[in-house]
Amino acid sequence: MYEFIEFLIKNQNMITASLSVHIQLVVTAVSIGALIAIPIGVILSRYQKVAKGVLGFAGIVQTIPGLVMLGFALMLFGIGKLPAIVVLSVYAILPILTNTYVGITEVDKHYKEAARGIGMTTLQILFKVEIPIALPAIINGIKISTVYIISWATLAALIGAGGLGDLIWTGLATTNDYYILAGAIPAALMAVIIGAIITVIQKLVTPRGLKVRG
Amino acid sequence: MIRFNGISKSFGKTKIIDNLSFEVNEGEFIVLIGPSGCGKTTTLKMINKLIEPDGGSINIDGTNISDVDTVTLRRKIGYVIQQIGLFPNMTVEENICIVPKLLKWDKEKCLERTKELLELVSMPYEDYAKKYPTELSGGQQQRVGVLRALAAQPPIVLMDEPFGALDPLTRDALQDEVKTLQQKLNKTIIFVTHDMEEALKMADTIIFMDKGKILQKASPEEMLRNPAGDIIREFMGKHMTQNNNQDLKAEDFMNVNVVKTTENKQTLECLEIMKRKKVNSIIVTDKENTFKGIITIEDLKNHGKVGVPIGTMLNKEAQLIHKDMGAKEAFDMLIETKRDYLIVVADDDKVIGIINKTSMVKALADALWGDLECMNS
């Protein structure tokens, strides 16, 4: 235990650097994922027939092992952060996409009809009624994505993107438990903490009227 | 003000609206009523273009609404739907001010209007403006729904079964409020319901629809008096009977709480029953409930002996009437014979009720003021 703490202190710069790269990877990938997934989710909610196909396809993509995807990305984009971010973004899309789609389609049709009936335009209905009501679901999708990408991002070290994965893989390669732990523990903590932060944000943006149901 | 000219609409192969023409005057409270699927809601939704007709035209103040921009048109027409129409992500104030904001009213004007409107339904701004719909009762929610429709001062308000989901007491109160508001603000209201009581209470004119056509367009009074078809008569249900007193039978207004006993009971028992029920005579029947006679307090006093069955001293002078006897005849008989009550019997002299002056008063009150539903209680 003592030796491990000594190890951590000795390598704190390296660990912090890896952590910060890891956070960058996650935040970038999830942001890109959300920027793609939310608009597509909204559009899909308008075309429910197409939606089934698209969501099905996205589900299949999700089942491709991360290593395979990283391999493809490596071939296409070479080594470094870019291929990692591309792959992680792709993985980030599905949970956000599904939640956006479901969140919007589940907005009670009476609200939409009332909104139309009192003279809101389609865009006003989307931004004033549908998205606010679906927002908790959308943020939940972002939360699922983030927690998920934090763990996937450890793989990114394999194609030279850095991050906490670097420590883990080094540890595995040299059978040094301290390296593995120094990568795994911060990654796990990060998942828990960021998950909690998003939950708080979710509560803050949910209007009181949507919390007290019944 | 609003004129339907030969409107038709089909969904698939089903004809929902069939060559419909009618007119609504300014300030009129029109109720569209009819069985489910009669096209009343479709008719309503055509006015704010939520549904487009296949043929015919609708004019508002002489302008064909298909020539008017849909969004502009809707902002000039208030719209109230069942309870759920308030946006759950907005406060009461935000909900009320949606249309004024869409119309780009400035903030102060919105605030002033919200206060003024909440005042109208006795929901103080300070207490309610910042609440969310889920924090209000059903009745309060629908009050806000009505206010939202009135907010931008539209001359026309459409209401689609607005009180359907409310409990009877709240519904009653809201009906009164809406009726008062309508008269005070001189709005033209088109109101859809399947509840005839509501229609009779609210409407200046009732339009009864069936299978996409108008069966009758008349004032509540006229519709009650001359319903233009069996289906309307059926819808009127109990409201009809009160206006057809000729058909009212003894059975319909008799009191079924009869103090009865059987002929083998003895004097003391009878006295006990009279004391308990606070009556001075009891109807005596056999075990099959067939009328045998009555026994009065005098009979018991004059002839009663302890241990003797009352069968021996029955008074046969009671007046029996058949359950099908007309109301007027029964009342006349009650008054002429100067009896306390008439005994109503079924075909084989089985006792089913009595008619006394109280039943008479109740039946009369009922005919005048509607069903009090307390006749047999």
Side-chain angles (χ1 to χ4, degrees), chain A residues 110-167:
Chain A
H110 290 97
Y111 296 138
K112 294 182 211 171
E113 195 190 291
R116 279 207 302 145
I118 62 175
M120 284 194 187
T121 62
T122 318
L123 275 184
Q124 285 166 337
I125 297 174
L126 179 66
F127 286 107
K128 294 191 174 179
V129 179
E130 291 176 291
I131 290 186
I133 294 177
L135 199 57
I138 297 173
I139 294 182
N140 206 30
I142 294 176
K143 184 166 85 182
I144 297 168
S145 266
T146 311
V147 171
Y148 184 65
I149 295 303
I150 289 171
S151 82
W152 280 102
T154 53
L155 279 180
L158 290 177
I159 54 171
L164 293 167
D166 256 355
L167 299 172

Side-chain angles (χ1 to χ4, degrees), chain A residues 111 113 116 119 128 208 212, chain B residues 74-75 79 84 89 135:
Chain A
Y111 296 138
E113 195 190 291
R116 279 207 302 145
K128 294 191 174 179
R208 202 163 80 237
V212 270
Chain B
R74 287 178 184 159
R75 290 177 187 175
Y79 186 46
I84 201 156
N89 53 315
E135 296 167 326

Side-chain angles (χ1 to χ4, degrees), chain B residues 88-288:
Chain B
N89 53 315
M90 300 181 195
T91 60
V92 167
E93 180 170 26
E94 287 164 345
N95 264 295
I96 291 178
C97 261
I98 291 175
V99 185
K101 269 196 191 137
L102 293 175
L103 293 170
K104 311 255 182 289
W105 288 21
D106 62 49
K107 262 192 181 159
E108 271 128 67
K109 204 174 162 198
C110 283
L111 177 71
E112 205 177 299
R113 183 71 181 146
T114 311
K115 283 187 175 166
E116 183 189 354
L117 285 166
L118 283 169
E119 200 78 12
L120 279 178
V121 294
S122 317
M123 289 171 67
Y125 179 88
E126 293 71 28
D127 298 341
Y128 290 101
K130 305 296 176 210
K131 288 199 168 167
Y132 283 91
T134 40
E135 296 167 326
L136 303 178
S137 70
Q140 290 169 335
Q141 287 185 25
Q142 199 48 292
R143 281 186 181 92
V144 176
V146 172
L147 297 185
R148 180 174 72 185
L150 295 173
Q153 293 168 325
I156 301 169
V157 180
L158 309 178
M159 300 191 168
D160 189 1
E161 303 205 25
F163 310 137
L166 302 175
D167 66 89
L169 272 180
T170 315
R171 189 186 314 144
D172 208 50
L174 265 158
Q175 287 166 348
D176 291 337
E177 283 174 34
V178 165
K179 187 71 194 166
T180 317
L181 280 177
Q182 184 252 343
Q183 285 163 342
K184 198 150 107 191
L185 307 172
N186 192 33
K187 302 287 178 196
T188 306
I189 294 188
I190 324 282
F191 189 108
V192 165
T193 183
H194 58 260
D195 177 0
M196 189 48 105
E197 203 171 329
E198 190 166 67
L200 293 170
K201 179 171 172 183
M202 312 280 285
D204 296 323
T205 306
I206 301 177
I207 294 182
F208 195 103
M209 292 182 66
D210 187 34
K211 301 192 180 86
K213 289 187 166 167
I214 294 180
L215 278 190
Q216 188 174 17
K217 180 180 185 233
S219 68
E221 180 86 16
E222 173 64 17
M223 195 165 284
L224 275 171
R225 206 173 299 150
N226 296 313
D230 287 341
I231 184 162
I232 303 181
R233 202 166 288 128
E234 208 174 287
F235 246 76
M236 300 269 196
K238 59 179 182 186
H239 298 283
M240 288 299 297
T241 53
Q242 38 168 294
N243 282 274
N244 279 338
N245 297 331
Q246 303 88 321
D247 299 344
L248 200 62
K249 293 174 185 164
E251 188 182 24
D252 299 327
F253 58 92
M254 66 189 182
N255 185 343
V256 294
N257 294 333
V258 184
V259 182
K260 284 184 295 194
T261 188
T262 48
E263 51 193 338
N264 56 357
K265 285 273 162 40
Q266 299 177 355
T267 308
L268 286 181
E269 275 177 287
C270 278
L271 277 172
E272 177 58 29
I273 295 173
M274 285 180 181
K275 208 174 104 192
R276 194 154 27 94
K277 300 279 188 184
K278 299 191 175 77
V279 293
N280 57 15
S281 69
I282 300 181
I283 295 166
V284 183
T285 63
D286 65 9
K287 285 190 185 105
E288 270 76 51

Side-chain angles (χ1 to χ4, degrees), chain B residues 31-87:
Chain B
V31 173
L32 297 171
I33 189 170
S36 329
C38 69
K40 52 189 192 291
T41 299
T42 309
T43 306
L44 182 90
K45 287 183 179 171
M46 283 180 178
I47 300 172
N48 64 0
K49 285 171 72 175
L50 282 172
I51 295 174
E52 300 271 353
D54 298 336
S57 66
I58 299 170
N59 290 348
I60 296 182
D61 290 333
T63 317
N64 187 334
I65 59 168
S66 60
D67 299 336
V68 183
D69 172 59
T70 305
V71 166
T72 316
L73 175 83
R74 287 178 184 159
R75 290 177 187 175
K76 284 188 196 150
I77 299 177
Y79 186 46
V80 187
I81 63 174
Q82 281 206 7
Q83 197 160 357
I84 201 156
L86 289 183
F87 301 120

Side-chain angles (χ1 to χ4, degrees), chain A residues 26-38 85-86 89-90 92-93 96:
Chain A
V26 171
V27 171
T28 319
V30 174
S31 307
I32 295 174
L35 284 178
I36 298 171
I38 296 175
I85 286 175
V86 170
S89 304
V90 169
I93 289 175
I96 305 177

